[in-house]
Amino acid sequence: MEVSGLPLELWRLILAYMRLPDLGRCSLVCKAWYELILSLDSTRWRQLCLRCIECRHPNWPNQPDVEPRSWREAFKQHYLAAKTWTKNAQELESSNCFYLFRRRKDRRILYVGPGCEFDNLGSALTSANIYDKIVLFPGIYEEQGEIILNVPVEIMGQGKLGDVALLVCVDQHCATTRLCNLVFMPVWFSPVMYKVSSGHVQFDNCNFENGQLQIHAPGTCQVKFCTFNQASISLHSVALCVLENCEFVGSEIASVTVEGHPSSDRNWAYKHLMGLVKSSSALSTTQDSALFNPSNQETLGHLPTGNLRTCEIVVGEDQSNFLATSKSPQACEKDFQKENEINKDLCPARDKKEIVHDADSNDGSQSSGSENEPEDQLVYKLYHQPPGLSHTLARSLLGQPQTARLSNLQNGLELKTLHQELQRDSEAQSLASSLQGCLIRKCLFRDGKGGVFVCSQGRAKMEGNVFRDLVYAVRCVQNSKIIMLKNDIYHCKASGIFLRLEAGGLIADNNIYSNSEAGVDIRKGANPIILCNKIHSGLRSGIVVLGNGKGIIRSNQIYGNKEAGIYILYNGNPIVSGNHIFQGLAAGIAVNENGRGQITENVIRENHWGGADIRRGGDPVLRSNLICFGYSDGVVVGEQGKGLIEGNTIYGNKGCGMWIMSSSLPHITSNQIAHNSIYGVAVFCQKDDANDYLINQGSNENFNDEGEASNWENELDGEDDHFSSRRPISVALIESNSINHNGAAGLYVKSNEALNVIANIIHANQESGVAVLQSTQLTRIANNSISCNHLGGVLVESECRVELRGNGIYDNSGPGVSSKGDGTILENDIIGNRGCGLQLLQAANMKI
């Protein structure tokens, strides 16, 4: 009959009575009939899927209210998976002719129960032949001894799940078995309910209560739509086991334990499981371009790149020209209004008075004689050879305007998608596509001690699972590897993911949040790859790396954590790159207690304390990051902090751009430090009142391992693999930075240690360019350009030791140099300042 002979509604009504084989035959008639059968997806295919006692809702247990994309496809996948156990292609070794009966159509069905042929499971198994089906009628079946399963059979419970309960201890010796619609409970003499040593077992729609499943290599298992209630499964050196759509509840140990390197000895089911997994895999890296869509995530937005004022200084060979390109006050005011509007869009939660700009801070506005010059350009011609101005002023820092730098930075620091990351990282791509050991997919782990424990070189892959209300979600130790993709991990009482003892793997595209300790905890030589995760709202830090832990941490969103977004300490040495770390209640990144790390090209913004916090022997490389709009300081280098801080843009923070303790030893070079509300760079001594300021700068993380005390001093390697490219320094060094448009002094020094300030541009700050209020050791200020600051160029208070050499001090609103202290002033250009060129006050003792 032609399909067009009846209305579609009538066809659907008629076809709703057809069984699965009949629907299959109808779909083979012609294309029109095939499309008609496909159109039954939300009606007949849905009924077939939900009425099947062998399975549950395709999205159970995590999203039982969400319909699958196709009910027919979901039913097809389950149907194919349910047949895996029958694909045994090996000949039974006991007889050369048994394989002829392997799939015989007339296999028997044995019934067990009151009034049936068999009273108990043991007697039915004794009479069963290969591939017979044993049906258990409702009831409780208890076996007093261990059952040895020598014949491949299918055992199914009649009725609803829970009607048939087995109190058994089964040891499977045959090649394959399937069990369905049963409740397993342990017998009195053993907690082990089912054990496999060599064959393959398939569990569909079963419950396991208060016992254990054990699978030993070369055995395999396939577990689907099962519930483990205070029960667990242990996998020992398995080549491949698959756990799908299962629920693990209330386990007092890890719900799944994967132990031992995957065995090279594989049984017949390995290739069939591998094919089944690949055909239905939830991961499709080639189709994940929508992952972390910038329109759906917390991104930085657009930086104010188009209207920032610039100052360019050109030093000539014969006749030196000082050129300060400037805009009129009216133009600058418009620019700043536009900046403020953009800043409001970037940080809607910030106070409207976050950054206050004064139109009078326009470059060159203090200069006399400007009436005869064009409004957009002021030219000072110095008809003499500048004796001390270093050629360093014309280096790259001056050659690239701030506008271009910010624009390039904005374009370069966008979050990459997982697909982009896998394309550029062959190791991560290889891990994402690999499959060894155990695959755990679309499962729910809740209300227990642990989710998955991987140890002794074990391998496990986890996709699309939910871990909640556990002590920990995943623990990986002893050279094991985990691959975690698209999981949700939250409300753990300790950290979400632990990695220890040289563990590694790939942790990508997960949502890790609201855990009591760190989202990811890396220690003792562990070295994972952490890509494109959302790690947020934790009660402690987002990621912790300590005890010689390593790792590659890239393209993650880390936000809203109560402690540091990333905390590195005790010789932790990760590579942290391309992350967005924002809106944390403490520091963005904290490096303490001899922590190290390479921290590059991250966006660190809107954190309540320092964007980066380095102290107590912390010695990182902090390079090419955007650290902006923090509620406190951009970078804090506390007591005994070290590190190379290079090429960062530190912009628009409510505190200082950089806050440094004089007892620290940082190398600060080639940074853009601008538009911060207080000082551009502030150096304080240890005895200063600034100690009160430091109380809340660091994090108070608990680094004990699940509450147990740890002696970290014994775990630290004596090896010190510092970065070979680092230039050793013995005095804190601030060089080649651009420090401009900050709310107070560009550089503020109140220190009892020596300090070198070399070849910086200190420009258009709201107070003095450089203010030295305390300096018991020598502060060397050499080859800097100090211009257009609202107060003096350099201010030196009494009892301060300062050397000023080879600086260009131009066009400041007050004196070029005002000193009450001691020291030398050599070979400087002090030109065009509104006050005195050089002002010596009180008991100043300067050699000029």
Side-chain angles (χ1 to χ4, degrees), residues 137-156:
F137 279 83
I140 299 175
Y141 299 87
E142 182 175 4
E143 299 293 334
Q144 296 301 319
E146 184 179 59
I147 293 178
I148 307 297
L149 200 57
N150 292 313
V151 178
V153 292
E154 180 180 21
I155 303 174
M156 180 176 290

Side-chain angles (χ1 to χ4, degrees), residues 260-371:
H261 191 274
S263 172
S264 58
D265 184 12
R266 298 167 179 172
N267 65 14
W268 67 269
Y270 175 83
K271 64 179 181 181
H272 299 288
L273 284 176
M274 187 65 75
L276 181 69
V277 166
K278 288 181 178 179
S279 67
S280 60
S281 175
L283 175 68
S284 66
T285 56
T286 59
Q287 300 171 354
D288 274 353
S289 58
L291 288 176
F292 286 90
N293 188 331
S295 63
N296 297 328
Q297 58 185 297
E298 297 282 350
T299 55
L300 178 65
H302 298 287
L303 285 171
T305 61
N307 296 285
L308 294 178
R309 294 159 302 151
T310 63
C311 175
E312 183 176 350
I313 299 174
V314 180
V315 180
E317 291 294 332
D318 299 321
Q319 291 183 344
S320 300
N321 297 324
F322 173 58
L323 178 64
T325 58
S326 174
K327 295 184 179 180
S328 66
Q330 294 79 7
C332 290
E333 190 171 10
K334 292 180 180 178
D335 289 347
F336 286 133
Q337 288 175 356
K338 186 174 292 186
E339 280 183 25
N340 285 328
E341 289 173 3
I342 297 173
N343 291 341
K344 289 174 186 176
D345 294 336
L346 279 168
C347 310
R350 293 288 300 267
D351 191 280
K352 292 184 179 178
K353 297 181 181 179
E354 169 192 340
I355 303 174
V356 180
H357 301 285
D358 186 350
D360 292 336
S361 67
N362 57 338
D363 306 353
S365 62
Q366 313 302 334
S367 174
S368 61
S370 60
E371 300 85 0

